[in-house]
């Protein structure tokens, strides 16, 4: 049972649907997995849930 976890910034539902469909297709094609055995988990992180270079995402300013 393949399980894929994706950590990302929030995305529209339609994009997540498409990505889950394509990931599932890849596991079916490459691994021969059954379509209904592939699970995709989306973990969406906002600017208060991550940091880069010691600076919180919500505190970053684009230059």
């Amino acid at each position: 049972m393949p399980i894929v976890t994706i950590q990302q910034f929030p995305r529209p539902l339609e994009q997540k649907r498409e990505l889950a469909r394509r990931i599932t297709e890849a596991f079916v094609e490459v691994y021969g997995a059954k379509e209904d055995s592939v699970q995709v988990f989306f973990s969406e992180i906002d600017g208060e849930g991550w940091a880069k270079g010691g600076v919180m995402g919500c505190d970053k300013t684009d230059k």
Side-chain angles (χ1 to χ4, degrees):
M1 166 185 333
I3 298 172
V4 178
T5 302
I6 299 168
Q7 292 181 316
Q8 64 181 16
F9 296 115
R11 301 284 180 157
L13 180 57
E14 280 305 312
Q15 287 183 337
K16 292 185 281 190
R17 281 186 177 124
E18 180 67 14
L19 185 58
R21 185 186 65 75
R22 291 186 189 196
I23 289 169
T24 299
E25 285 178 354
F27 273 99
V28 169
E29 181 181 325
V30 176
Y31 284 3
K34 292 182 180 180
E35 193 172 273
D36 65 353
S37 74
V38 180
Q39 296 184 57
V40 180
F41 294 90
F42 292 92
S43 176
E44 295 189 320
I45 310 297
D46 65 15
E48 292 184 11
W50 71 279
K52 181 177 179 183
V55 179
M56 296 301 296
C58 60
D59 295 333
K60 288 200 172 278
T61 57
D62 293 330
K63 295 182 180 180

